[in-house]
Short mmCIF file of all heavy atoms in Angstrom, two decimals:
data_model
loop_
_atom_site.label_atom_id
_atom_site.label_comp_id
_atom_site.label_asym_id
_atom_site.label_seq_id
_atom_site.Cartn_x
_atom_site.Cartn_y
_atom_site.Cartn_z
N ILE A 1 0.85 -1.17 0.01
CA ILE A 1 0.03 -0.01 0.00
C ILE A 1 0.87 1.23 0.01
O ILE A 1 1.68 1.44 0.92
CB ILE A 1 -0.93 0.01 1.23
CG1 ILE A 1 -1.73 -1.30 1.37
CG2 ILE A 1 -1.87 1.23 1.15
CD1 ILE A 1 -2.61 -1.60 0.21
N VAL A 2 0.78 2.05 -1.04
CA VAL A 2 1.50 3.33 -1.13
C VAL A 2 0.51 4.40 -0.87
O VAL A 2 -0.51 4.53 -1.57
CB VAL A 2 2.15 3.46 -2.53
CG1 VAL A 2 2.89 4.80 -2.63
CG2 VAL A 2 3.04 2.30 -2.86
N THR A 3 0.75 5.29 0.14
CA THR A 3 -0.25 6.26 0.54
C THR A 3 0.36 7.56 1.02
O THR A 3 1.51 7.52 1.55
CB THR A 3 -1.20 5.66 1.60
OG1 THR A 3 -2.24 6.57 1.86
CG2 THR A 3 -0.45 5.37 2.88
N ASN A 4 -0.31 8.64 0.84
CA ASN A 4 -0.02 9.91 1.44
C ASN A 4 -0.92 10.20 2.63
O ASN A 4 -0.89 11.30 3.21
CB ASN A 4 -0.11 11.03 0.42
CG ASN A 4 -1.54 11.31 -0.01
OD1 ASN A 4 -2.40 10.41 0.01
ND2 ASN A 4 -1.80 12.52 -0.53
N ASN A 5 -1.77 9.22 2.97
CA ASN A 5 -2.80 9.32 3.99
C ASN A 5 -2.21 8.89 5.33
O ASN A 5 -2.18 7.72 5.62
CB ASN A 5 -3.98 8.45 3.57
CG ASN A 5 -5.20 8.61 4.43
OD1 ASN A 5 -5.11 8.88 5.62
ND2 ASN A 5 -6.38 8.39 3.89
N LEU A 6 -1.75 9.82 6.18
CA LEU A 6 -1.01 9.47 7.39
C LEU A 6 -1.92 8.71 8.37
O LEU A 6 -1.48 7.73 8.97
CB LEU A 6 -0.44 10.71 8.04
CG LEU A 6 0.67 11.39 7.22
CD1 LEU A 6 1.34 12.47 8.10
CD2 LEU A 6 1.70 10.41 6.74
N PRO A 7 -3.17 9.11 8.63
CA PRO A 7 -4.05 8.33 9.52
C PRO A 7 -4.21 6.92 9.02
O PRO A 7 -4.24 6.00 9.79
CB PRO A 7 -5.35 9.12 9.55
CG PRO A 7 -5.01 10.50 9.23
CD PRO A 7 -3.84 10.41 8.27
N ALA A 8 -4.39 6.74 7.74
CA ALA A 8 -4.54 5.39 7.14
C ALA A 8 -3.26 4.55 7.35
O ALA A 8 -3.30 3.38 7.65
CB ALA A 8 -4.92 5.46 5.70
N ALA A 9 -2.12 5.20 7.11
CA ALA A 9 -0.84 4.49 7.28
C ALA A 9 -0.66 3.95 8.69
O ALA A 9 -0.21 2.83 8.88
CB ALA A 9 0.36 5.43 6.89
N LEU A 10 -1.07 4.71 9.68
CA LEU A 10 -0.98 4.29 11.07
C LEU A 10 -1.86 3.06 11.33
O LEU A 10 -1.48 2.11 12.03
CB LEU A 10 -1.33 5.39 12.00
CG LEU A 10 -0.38 6.56 12.09
CD1 LEU A 10 -0.88 7.70 12.95
CD2 LEU A 10 0.97 6.03 12.69
N VAL A 11 -3.03 3.05 10.73
CA VAL A 11 -3.98 1.93 10.89
C VAL A 11 -3.37 0.67 10.22
O VAL A 11 -3.38 -0.41 10.76
CB VAL A 11 -5.32 2.24 10.28
CG1 VAL A 11 -6.23 0.98 10.13
CG2 VAL A 11 -6.06 3.31 11.16
N LEU A 12 -2.82 0.88 9.03
CA LEU A 12 -2.36 -0.28 8.27
C LEU A 12 -1.04 -0.87 8.73
O LEU A 12 -0.69 -2.00 8.47
CB LEU A 12 -2.19 0.14 6.80
CG LEU A 12 -3.43 0.56 6.06
CD1 LEU A 12 -3.16 1.10 4.71
CD2 LEU A 12 -4.41 -0.62 5.98
N ALA A 13 -0.25 -0.02 9.48
CA ALA A 13 1.07 -0.48 9.95
C ALA A 13 1.03 -1.68 10.88
O ALA A 13 1.99 -2.39 11.02
CB ALA A 13 1.80 0.70 10.64
N ASP A 14 -0.14 -1.93 11.50
CA ASP A 14 -0.28 -3.06 12.43
C ASP A 14 -0.60 -4.37 11.73
O ASP A 14 -0.69 -5.40 12.42
CB ASP A 14 -1.36 -2.76 13.46
CG ASP A 14 -0.96 -1.69 14.45
OD1 ASP A 14 0.26 -1.53 14.69
OD2 ASP A 14 -1.84 -1.00 15.02
N ARG A 15 -0.73 -4.38 10.46
CA ARG A 15 -1.09 -5.65 9.72
C ARG A 15 0.20 -6.23 9.11
O ARG A 15 0.72 -5.69 8.17
CB ARG A 15 -2.15 -5.30 8.65
CG ARG A 15 -3.39 -4.76 9.35
CD ARG A 15 -4.51 -4.40 8.44
NE ARG A 15 -5.50 -3.59 9.14
CZ ARG A 15 -6.47 -2.98 8.60
NH1 ARG A 15 -6.67 -3.09 7.35
NH2 ARG A 15 -7.29 -2.28 9.36
N PRO A 16 0.65 -7.37 9.65
CA PRO A 16 1.95 -7.87 9.31
C PRO A 16 2.15 -8.24 7.89
O PRO A 16 3.26 -8.26 7.37
CB PRO A 16 2.10 -9.09 10.25
CG PRO A 16 0.72 -9.45 10.65
CD PRO A 16 -0.05 -8.17 10.68
N ARG A 17 1.10 -8.66 7.15
CA ARG A 17 1.27 -9.14 5.77
C ARG A 17 1.21 -7.97 4.75
O ARG A 17 1.55 -8.13 3.60
CB ARG A 17 0.22 -10.16 5.43
CG ARG A 17 0.27 -11.40 6.32
CD ARG A 17 -0.80 -12.44 5.96
NE ARG A 17 -0.50 -13.03 4.65
CZ ARG A 17 -1.39 -13.76 3.97
NH1 ARG A 17 -2.62 -13.87 4.39
NH2 ARG A 17 -1.05 -14.32 2.79
N LEU A 18 0.81 -6.79 5.23
CA LEU A 18 0.83 -5.64 4.32
C LEU A 18 2.19 -4.94 4.40
O LEU A 18 2.83 -4.86 5.48
CB LEU A 18 -0.21 -4.61 4.80
CG LEU A 18 -1.68 -4.91 4.58
CD1 LEU A 18 -2.57 -3.78 5.13
CD2 LEU A 18 -2.01 -5.14 3.11
N THR A 19 2.64 -4.44 3.24
CA THR A 19 3.81 -3.59 3.22
C THR A 19 3.27 -2.15 2.98
O THR A 19 2.58 -1.93 2.00
CB THR A 19 4.76 -3.93 2.07
OG1 THR A 19 5.23 -5.27 2.29
CG2 THR A 19 5.94 -2.97 2.00
N VAL A 20 3.57 -1.25 3.90
CA VAL A 20 3.00 0.13 3.82
C VAL A 20 4.16 1.10 3.54
O VAL A 20 5.16 1.17 4.25
CB VAL A 20 2.31 0.50 5.14
CG1 VAL A 20 1.75 1.90 5.03
CG2 VAL A 20 1.22 -0.50 5.48
N ILE A 21 4.00 1.86 2.44
CA ILE A 21 4.93 2.83 2.07
C ILE A 21 4.28 4.19 2.08
O ILE A 21 3.25 4.44 1.40
CB ILE A 21 5.52 2.60 0.65
CG1 ILE A 21 6.21 1.22 0.60
CG2 ILE A 21 6.44 3.75 0.17
CD1 ILE A 21 6.61 0.83 -0.82
N THR A 22 4.82 5.11 2.91
CA THR A 22 4.23 6.47 2.96
C THR A 22 5.01 7.37 1.99
O THR A 22 6.22 7.31 1.88
CB THR A 22 4.34 7.06 4.37
OG1 THR A 22 5.69 6.98 4.82
CG2 THR A 22 3.40 6.27 5.33
N LEU A 23 4.25 8.20 1.32
CA LEU A 23 4.81 9.13 0.35
C LEU A 23 5.41 10.36 1.02
O LEU A 23 4.86 10.81 2.04
CB LEU A 23 3.74 9.58 -0.65
CG LEU A 23 3.27 8.49 -1.64
CD1 LEU A 23 1.94 8.92 -2.26
CD2 LEU A 23 4.32 8.24 -2.68
N PRO A 24 6.53 10.85 0.50
CA PRO A 24 7.19 12.01 1.12
C PRO A 24 6.46 13.30 0.79
O PRO A 24 5.59 13.35 -0.12
CB PRO A 24 8.57 12.03 0.49
CG PRO A 24 8.31 11.43 -0.88
CD PRO A 24 7.25 10.39 -0.69
N GLY A 25 6.75 14.34 1.53
CA GLY A 25 6.20 15.66 1.23
C GLY A 25 5.75 16.38 2.49
O GLY A 25 5.69 15.82 3.54
N MET A 26 5.41 17.64 2.27
CA MET A 26 4.88 18.51 3.36
C MET A 26 3.48 18.04 3.74
O MET A 26 2.64 17.77 2.88
CB MET A 26 4.84 19.96 2.91
CG MET A 26 4.40 20.92 3.98
SD MET A 26 4.39 22.62 3.38
CE MET A 26 3.07 22.54 2.17
N ILE A 27 3.17 17.95 5.05
CA ILE A 27 1.86 17.56 5.51
C ILE A 27 0.94 18.69 5.54
O ILE A 27 1.15 19.76 6.13
CB ILE A 27 1.97 16.93 6.93
CG1 ILE A 27 3.02 15.77 6.89
CG2 ILE A 27 0.63 16.41 7.36
CD1 ILE A 27 2.73 14.65 5.94
N ARG A 28 -0.20 18.51 4.86
CA ARG A 28 -1.27 19.54 4.86
C ARG A 28 -2.22 19.21 6.02
O ARG A 28 -2.83 18.12 6.04
CB ARG A 28 -2.00 19.51 3.54
CG ARG A 28 -3.04 20.60 3.41
CD ARG A 28 -3.48 20.74 1.95
NE ARG A 28 -4.47 21.78 1.81
CZ ARG A 28 -5.78 21.60 1.52
NH1 ARG A 28 -6.20 20.36 1.31
NH2 ARG A 28 -6.59 22.61 1.51
N GLY A 29 -2.28 20.08 7.02
CA GLY A 29 -2.96 19.79 8.26
C GLY A 29 -4.46 19.48 8.05
O GLY A 29 -4.99 18.64 8.77
N LEU A 30 -5.12 20.16 7.14
CA LEU A 30 -6.54 19.97 6.92
C LEU A 30 -6.89 18.53 6.51
O LEU A 30 -7.90 17.97 6.97
CB LEU A 30 -7.04 20.96 5.86
CG LEU A 30 -8.58 21.16 5.78
CD1 LEU A 30 -9.19 21.66 7.01
CD2 LEU A 30 -8.89 22.05 4.59
N THR A 31 -6.03 17.94 5.68
CA THR A 31 -6.28 16.57 5.21
C THR A 31 -5.38 15.54 5.82
O THR A 31 -5.54 14.36 5.55
CB THR A 31 -6.15 16.52 3.66
OG1 THR A 31 -4.84 17.01 3.30
CG2 THR A 31 -7.19 17.38 3.00
N GLN A 32 -4.36 15.98 6.55
CA GLN A 32 -3.40 15.11 7.19
C GLN A 32 -2.71 14.22 6.12
O GLN A 32 -2.57 13.00 6.31
CB GLN A 32 -4.05 14.26 8.33
CG GLN A 32 -4.53 15.15 9.46
CD GLN A 32 -5.18 14.34 10.57
OE1 GLN A 32 -4.76 13.20 10.86
NE2 GLN A 32 -6.18 14.91 11.26
N ALA A 33 -2.32 14.86 5.06
CA ALA A 33 -1.77 14.14 3.89
C ALA A 33 -0.52 14.84 3.45
O ALA A 33 -0.36 16.06 3.57
CB ALA A 33 -2.74 14.04 2.75
N SER A 34 0.42 14.06 2.87
CA SER A 34 1.63 14.65 2.29
C SER A 34 1.27 15.11 0.89
O SER A 34 0.79 14.33 0.04
CB SER A 34 2.78 13.66 2.28
OG SER A 34 2.37 12.43 1.70
N VAL A 35 1.50 16.42 0.66
CA VAL A 35 1.02 17.01 -0.61
C VAL A 35 2.03 18.08 -1.03
O VAL A 35 1.95 19.19 -0.56
CB VAL A 35 -0.38 17.63 -0.47
CG1 VAL A 35 -0.84 18.18 -1.80
CG2 VAL A 35 -1.36 16.63 0.03
N ASP A 36 2.93 17.76 -1.95
CA ASP A 36 3.79 18.79 -2.53
C ASP A 36 4.54 18.13 -3.69
O ASP A 36 4.27 17.05 -4.14
CB ASP A 36 4.70 19.48 -1.55
CG ASP A 36 5.79 18.59 -0.97
OD1 ASP A 36 5.94 17.42 -1.43
OD2 ASP A 36 6.52 19.01 -0.11
N GLY A 37 5.55 18.84 -4.19
CA GLY A 37 6.29 18.37 -5.37
C GLY A 37 7.03 17.07 -5.08
O GLY A 37 7.20 16.26 -5.98
N TRP A 38 7.52 16.90 -3.90
CA TRP A 38 8.20 15.67 -3.49
C TRP A 38 7.19 14.48 -3.68
O TRP A 38 7.60 13.38 -4.16
CB TRP A 38 8.69 15.65 -2.09
CG TRP A 38 9.95 16.49 -1.90
CD1 TRP A 38 10.66 17.14 -2.87
CD2 TRP A 38 10.60 16.77 -0.65
NE1 TRP A 38 11.70 17.84 -2.28
CE2 TRP A 38 11.70 17.59 -0.95
CE3 TRP A 38 10.34 16.40 0.67
CZ2 TRP A 38 12.55 18.08 0.04
CZ3 TRP A 38 11.21 16.90 1.67
CH2 TRP A 38 12.27 17.73 1.36
N THR A 39 5.94 14.68 -3.24
CA THR A 39 4.95 13.63 -3.34
C THR A 39 4.70 13.24 -4.79
O THR A 39 4.71 12.02 -5.15
CB THR A 39 3.62 14.09 -2.71
OG1 THR A 39 3.91 14.83 -1.49
CG2 THR A 39 2.75 12.91 -2.37
N THR A 40 4.50 14.24 -5.66
CA THR A 40 4.19 13.94 -7.06
C THR A 40 5.39 13.30 -7.75
O THR A 40 5.23 12.37 -8.54
CB THR A 40 3.73 15.17 -7.79
OG1 THR A 40 4.74 16.20 -7.65
CG2 THR A 40 2.46 15.70 -7.27
N ARG A 41 6.64 13.77 -7.42
CA ARG A 41 7.81 13.19 -8.09
C ARG A 41 7.98 11.74 -7.66
O ARG A 41 8.43 10.90 -8.53
CB ARG A 41 9.03 14.02 -7.73
CG ARG A 41 9.12 15.36 -8.45
CD ARG A 41 10.49 15.99 -8.34
NE ARG A 41 10.79 16.41 -6.99
CZ ARG A 41 10.46 17.58 -6.48
NH1 ARG A 41 9.74 18.45 -7.22
NH2 ARG A 41 10.78 17.94 -5.22
N ARG A 42 7.69 11.40 -6.46
CA ARG A 42 7.85 9.96 -6.08
C ARG A 42 6.79 9.11 -6.83
O ARG A 42 7.12 8.03 -7.25
CB ARG A 42 7.66 9.88 -4.54
CG ARG A 42 7.79 8.42 -3.97
CD ARG A 42 9.21 7.85 -4.26
NE ARG A 42 9.36 6.53 -3.71
CZ ARG A 42 9.75 6.22 -2.50
NH1 ARG A 42 10.02 7.23 -1.66
NH2 ARG A 42 9.87 5.00 -2.08
N LEU A 43 5.60 9.61 -6.91
CA LEU A 43 4.55 8.88 -7.61
C LEU A 43 4.92 8.64 -9.09
O LEU A 43 4.60 7.62 -9.67
CB LEU A 43 3.21 9.62 -7.51
CG LEU A 43 2.51 9.53 -6.20
CD1 LEU A 43 1.45 10.61 -6.03
CD2 LEU A 43 1.86 8.15 -6.02
#
C-alpha cells in the first residue's frame, strides 16, 4: 500500500502481511496528507 494518507498508514502499519509505504512531502494539516512536489515526483 503506497499512501499519502497518514491516519490510514498508522492503521495499516499493524497488519503484518501488508507492506506500507508512505509518500514524502509536506503535511497539509486539513487533510493530514503529504502533498507537494516531492509527493508527485515519487509517484
Side-chain angles (χ1 to χ4, degrees):
I1 308 297
V2 179
T3 187
N4 67 335
N5 188 329
L6 294 190
L10 289 173
V11 168
L12 297 173
D14 287 334
R15 297 179 195 173
R17 299 181 70 196
L18 289 178
T19 299
V20 181
I21 300 173
T22 54
L23 290 163
M26 183 181 67
I27 304 303
R28 187 166 179 247
L30 193 64
T31 56
Q32 297 179 33
S34 51
V35 182
D36 69 3
W38 285 356
T39 319
T40 55
R41 285 193 292 274
R42 182 61 178 273
L43 284 163

